[in-house]
């Protein structure tokens, strides 16, 4: 794992944008795994302003609420349209988000996995982390080998997401999410976490035991996982001095 600690969320976001820009320059037909939530909004803004030609890019979102149509303003379809897709020229056929209205959920999930496979796999999976360690909607005790499937959203996550819906009661109970096994197959994972509230779970994820009880800890098994943090999210890391030293001493060819 590579742990990068930046002074502010803005600096960490700029660094993440540079990494994605570098990937798109090297590989204009890259396959990106996308995430929603509050953390990546400034990153999508930054990327939108970079004026890339995104015509060959393919995207796969991690998750979607079950029961929400794509035009529902709390759906992840809507979020992606507002925060990224309407600003960049990714062809609609290349954008993939689980269908919240899928009639046959298991076969839709199997098809989603197949689409990722046919696209050649995900080059870079963007991630953020929930306070209980969820990535995508893989809640604690999710199988670390899980694939795209229906999940019941944990009460804590429904509480955390009530801010988007106005009340907890309006937050859907189910979702479709890529599994931990699906995420681990991405060639690179880039997790962003900012703010004091994320400090405890970041410390457990990076320096705690690998356990289904903290699904994000599965990233310890990934050969190319980068955590891009601000000072506040990094404040409980015991080896922070070492992470900074590693970053400051990277050979020029390895710099982001
Ligand atoms: C959303 C997703 C979730 C969020 C997580 C953190 O697509 O996959 O795992 O990344 O709930 O959300 P924020 O960024 O709002 O703290």
């Amino acid at each position: 794992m590579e742990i990068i600690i930046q002074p502010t969320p803005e600096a960490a976001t700029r660094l993440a944008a540079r990494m994605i820009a570098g990937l798109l320059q090297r590989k204009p037909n890259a396959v990106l795994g996308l995430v929603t939530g509050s953390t990546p909004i400034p990153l999508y803004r930054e990327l939108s302003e970079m004026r890339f030609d995104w015509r060959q890019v393919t995207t796969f979102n991690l998750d979607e609420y079950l029961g929400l149509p794509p035009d529902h303003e709390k759906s992840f379809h809507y979020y992606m349209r507002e925060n990224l897709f309407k600003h960049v020229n990714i062809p609609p056929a290349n954008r993939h988000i689980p269908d919240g209205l899928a009639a046959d959920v298991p076969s839709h999930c199997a098809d989603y996995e197949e689409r990722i496979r046919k696209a050649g796999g995900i080059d870079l999976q963007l991630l953020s982390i929930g306070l209980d360690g969820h990535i995508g909607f893989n809640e604690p005790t999710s199988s670390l080998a899980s694939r795209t499937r229906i999940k019941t959203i944990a009460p804590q996550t429904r509480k955390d997401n009530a801010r988007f819906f106005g009340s907890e009661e309006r937050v859907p109970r189910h979702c479709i999410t890529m599994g931990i096994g699906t995420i681990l197959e991405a060639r690179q994972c880039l997790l962003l976490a900012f703010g004091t509230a994320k400090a405890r779970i970041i410390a457990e994820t990076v320096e705690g035991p690998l356990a289904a009880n903290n699904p994000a800890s599965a990233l310890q098994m990934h050969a190319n996982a980068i955590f891009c943090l601000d000072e506040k999210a990094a404040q409980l890391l015991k080896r922070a001095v070492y992470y900074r030293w590693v970053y400051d001493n990277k050979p020029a060819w390895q710099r982001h």
Side-chain angles (χ1 to χ4, degrees), residues 35-40 62-63 76 128-130 134-136 163 198:
V35 61
T36 61
S38 29
T39 307
L62 281 168
D63 43 15
F76 293 161
S128 172
I129 187 170
H134 69 250
I135 48 175
R163 67 191 193 277
K198 299 276 172 89

Side-chain angles (χ1 to χ4, degrees), residues 59-253:
T59 63
F60 286 92
N61 266 77
L62 281 168
D63 43 15
E64 177 59 286
Y65 289 111
L66 259 184
L68 297 194
D71 56 353
H72 189 290
E73 61 170 21
K74 303 302 173 197
S75 73
F76 293 161
H77 279 78
Y78 188 92
Y79 171 106
M80 288 311 304
R81 209 160 45 241
E82 289 305 304
N83 289 297
L84 184 67
F85 294 154
K86 78 178 188 193
H87 308 292
V88 299
N89 61 343
I90 304 172
N94 291 9
R95 312 170 193 163
H96 305 268
I97 305 178
D99 180 1
L101 296 182
D104 179 346
V105 173
S107 71
H108 177 65
C109 293
D111 175 62
Y112 202 71
E113 290 274 338
E114 182 61 13
R115 277 189 266 160
I116 296 175
R117 203 188 56 75
K118 281 203 180 124
I122 292 171
D123 290 301
L124 183 148
Q125 177 66 58
L126 270 175
L127 297 166
S128 172
I129 187 170
L131 298 180
D132 59 2
H134 69 250
I135 48 175
F137 267 124
N138 296 284
E139 299 284 17
T141 71
S142 287
S143 159
L144 300 185
S146 51
R147 313 300 309 189
T148 303
R149 69 211 182 292
I150 184 174
K151 283 294 284 181
T152 305
I153 303 172
Q156 181 60 51
T157 306
R158 292 184 70 238
K159 268 199 191 77
D160 294 342
N161 290 1
R163 67 191 193 277
F164 300 120
F165 285 82
S167 81
E168 194 182 325
E169 203 29 56
R170 293 203 196 121
V171 183
R173 280 153 206 249
H174 297 100
C175 61
I176 293 177
T177 181
M178 281 185 202
I180 298 291
T182 321
I183 293 169
L184 291 180
E185 277 173 13
R187 285 182 272 283
Q188 183 172 54
C189 289
L190 174 57
L191 186 145
L192 306 183
F194 310 140
T196 302
K198 299 276 172 89
R200 183 193 52 81
I201 195 63
I202 284 296
E204 284 174 15
T205 299
V206 173
E207 297 175 341
L210 170 64
N213 202 40
N214 173 9
S217 68
L219 293 170
Q220 295 178 15
M221 298 285 292
H222 196 283
N224 192 351
I226 302 176
F227 287 69
C228 197
L229 311 172
D230 72 345
E231 296 275 3
K232 288 181 176 161
Q235 66 188 284
L236 297 179
L237 288 169
K238 293 200 178 77
R239 297 183 195 278
V241 172
Y242 172 63
Y243 308 139
R244 289 181 204 277
W245 192 85
V246 170
Y247 187 69
D248 291 344
N249 288 284
K250 264 173 170 303
W253 59 269

Side-chain angles (χ1 to χ4, degrees), residues 8-21:
T8 60
E10 292 75 23
T13 295
R14 278 195 300 276
L15 183 59
R18 268 210 315 278
M19 285 184 216
I20 296 170

